Amino acid sequence: MVSGVSAMSGLEAFDELESEVRSYVRGWPAVWSRAHGASLWDEQGREYLDFFSGAGGLNYGHNPDEMIAALTRYLQSQGIMHSLDMATTAKRDFLQRFNEVILKPRGMSYKVMFPGPTGTNAVEAALKLARKVTGRREIVSFTNAFHGMTLGALALSGNVAKRESAGIPLEHQLTAPYDGELGADVDTISVLDAMLVEDGTSVAGVIVETVQGEGGLHTADFGWLRRLAECCQRHDVLLIVDDIQAGCGRTGTFFSFEPAGIEPDLICLSKSISGSGLPMSLTLIRPDLDIWSPGEHNGTFRGNNAAFVTATEALNWWVEESLSDEVRRKSTMIQAELESIAAEHESIRATVRGRGFLQGLHTPIDGLASKICAAAFERGLLMETSGGAASDVVKLMPPLTIADEALERGLLILRQSVEATAL
């Protein structure tokens, strides 16, 4: 200990020294000391099951053994850590492996761009390129969308509170209704089509999440996604899929849009692309759209070689279909349990939303979703809410690699938490 400096225990240091902007620590008032697989332990040694997965940044769980081993070998070899966009062995290995395991088997030929290592930067890069390619300014996003906290991405958000945090007008954005937003009998693609007939010459691109992770787990039908792609092609507008939270296997397939059979012009990836939770993001670009000038979009930490190492190792999960098969199997377990809870607790008026390992319970009762998550924390389970400012969805995002026993145990805690808070 430095002379004259007293140590702080518990959460005191965070309360005294960290900005008021901190968020998750308020709902989960614990100091975490270690984590592995689907579990975290606080500094008192209590175990918590993790149905949060780093907001989708830990699809393979905490500290996956193979990835940590690969990273340790790389660090001990004095491998390059910081390189901006210089050529390194770690980046080459990732690019070749990503092409071999992900792109080629799916008949894809995207160019890989490394923007800054955050999801919002992947979105910013896509927006800038769409505008550069088309010479137009407007971007269409959907109701309840969330694409990041930097100004360009924030302009696309449907969350009023987050938009207001910008402190300035957010411009060059149009809002279209998401699938189902106007009721089951209204095909909202017809609304978008009418918008593009009127404003199409000013629209550079349309950006969509196949499952709205932060916006309430609204899920796009595959047929709706196909009609969206056709609509964009008809109006010569670029289709951007934000697969930052729903991608990397969270819905079962590596890309969440694969079952729809569409080919986006631009794809945004981040969160679990590194496999280990290290910061990394990609913007995938249709080759004929790759008209960047060198350095036109750059960033000091776009060459995160440690992340390239673990990302390359993570791709081994996708050589075969076993992980996808397991996600699909366990997804039915999650859905069945959520439907059972909703049916047995009619007082909470809950409905099941989402797809794959990105599902949850929506309840229109004000504040109830937050109370359920708080009750789960008390019982040793981490979950967060979704649904924008309303926070009306209890959101489940377990690691894709979670064992059946741990998944069942977490679902039981969820059931007990609902029972403890139901009206």
Side-chain angles (χ1 to χ4, degrees):
M1 187 191 312
V2 178
S3 177
V5 178
S6 60
M8 299 179 188
S9 62
L11 294 165
E12 292 175 4
F14 308 96
D15 293 337
E16 182 171 334
L17 301 174
E18 189 177 2
S19 165
E20 293 301 313
V21 78
R22 64 192 187 279
S23 173
Y24 287 109
V25 67
R26 300 180 190 277
W28 300 331
V31 179
W32 308 104
S33 61
R34 66 185 182 93
H36 187 260
S39 295
L40 300 92
W41 287 264
D42 66 18
E43 62 181 354
Q44 280 74 45
R46 183 184 180 189
E47 180 183 0
Y48 291 77
L49 274 174
D50 187 0
F51 275 24
F52 173 62
S53 298
L58 296 167
N59 281 4
Y60 309 96
H62 294 269
N63 294 313
D65 293 338
E66 300 87 347
M67 296 177 212
I68 298 304
L71 178 59
T72 300
R73 291 192 298 271
Y74 186 76
L75 295 175
Q76 291 176 337
S77 73
Q78 298 183 339
I80 298 292
M81 292 293 286
H82 182 273
S83 61
L84 293 97
D85 66 359
M86 295 185 290
T88 67
T89 56
K91 184 197 284 188
R92 183 177 60 199
D93 289 346
F94 171 75
L95 283 169
Q96 293 177 339
R97 190 65 168 159
F98 187 75
N99 188 52
E100 174 188 346
V101 174
I102 302 300
L103 297 182
K104 277 188 175 181
R106 292 162 176 79
M108 294 177 168
S109 58
Y110 293 96
K111 298 292 287 292
V112 180
M113 175 184 178
F114 299 98
T118 61
T120 194
N121 206 303
V123 171
E124 295 285 358
L127 302 183
K128 285 170 67 173
L129 186 57
R131 287 168 171 143
K132 180 179 175 68
V133 166
T134 63
R136 307 168 193 162
R137 292 185 177 182
E138 306 299 321
I139 303 290
V140 176
S141 60
F142 291 91
T143 47
N144 307 304
F146 180 76
H147 298 285
M149 292 297 289
T150 48
L151 292 181
L154 190 58
L156 310 173
S157 176
N159 186 316
V160 175
K162 285 186 166 56
R163 290 178 64 89
E164 289 178 346
S165 72
I168 61 172
L170 298 172
E171 301 176 327
H172 304 303
Q173 178 270 344
L174 302 171
T175 302
Y178 194 71
D179 187 21
E181 181 69 18
L182 301 179
D185 297 330
V186 178
D187 183 4
T188 53
I189 296 300
S190 63
V191 179
L192 174 63
D193 190 70
M195 289 174 59
L196 293 178
V197 167
E198 182 174 347
D199 298 311
T201 56
S202 67
V203 174
V206 174
I207 186 166
V208 67
E209 306 156 273
T210 67
V211 182
Q212 294 184 320
E214 302 301 316
L217 300 187
H218 301 281
T219 305
D221 177 79
F222 297 144
W224 185 89
L225 290 169
R226 285 190 288 271
R227 293 193 298 278
L228 171 61
E230 292 165 359
C231 181
C232 289
Q233 290 176 350
R234 191 161 56 248
H235 293 281
D236 195 25
V237 168
L238 299 185
L239 175 60
I240 307 166
V241 171
D242 178 346
D243 229 13
I244 289 167
Q245 188 162 120
C248 297
R250 175 99 347 226
T251 63
T253 51
F254 185 84
F255 296 106
S256 69
F257 56 82
E258 288 183 52
I262 62 174
E263 296 185 10
D265 299 298
L266 299 163
I267 304 167
C268 303
L269 291 173
S270 188
K271 290 195 182 285
S272 281
I273 189 61
S274 80
S276 61
L278 290 172
M280 180 177 172
S281 71
L282 307 177
T283 304
L284 304 184
I285 305 167
R286 209 178 74 202
D288 59 298
L289 303 178
D290 186 21
I291 62 170
W292 289 115
S293 298
E296 191 171 3
H297 186 95
N298 57 22
T300 303
F301 297 104
R302 65 195 184 279
N304 188 351
N305 288 268
F308 297 157
V309 170
T310 56
T312 302
E313 188 68 29
L315 294 174
N316 290 332
W317 283 101
W318 298 98
V319 174
E320 298 179 351
E321 292 293 318
S322 55
L323 181 60
S324 288
D325 292 342
E326 280 294 283
V327 171
R328 283 189 284 267
R329 181 181 69 81
K330 293 172 186 173
S331 295
T332 61
M333 295 169 58
I334 295 171
Q335 182 177 353
E337 185 65 10
L338 292 177
E339 289 175 346
S340 173
I341 292 170
E344 292 178 20
H345 298 278
E346 295 182 359
S347 64
I348 70 172
R349 292 151 46 203
T351 54
V352 179
R353 289 183 181 174
R355 179 159 63 93
F357 269 41
L358 187 52
Q359 296 190 60
L361 284 173
H362 169 259
T363 171
I365 300 172
D366 186 39
L368 182 56
S370 295
K371 291 178 182 177
I372 292 171
C373 289
F377 175 77
E378 292 174 359
R379 290 163 173 77
L381 176 67
L382 299 186
M383 297 187 302
E384 71 168 340
T385 60
S386 176
S391 295
D392 53 5
V393 176
V394 177
K395 180 181 180 184
L396 281 66
M397 290 195 298
L400 309 185
T401 54
I402 192 170
D404 283 18
E405 178 276 329
L407 179 60
E408 291 167 354
R409 182 157 43 100
L411 291 171
L412 176 59
I413 294 174
L414 170 59
R415 178 182 288 275
Q416 293 169 342
S417 302
V418 171
E419 291 170 351
T421 54
L423 301 178

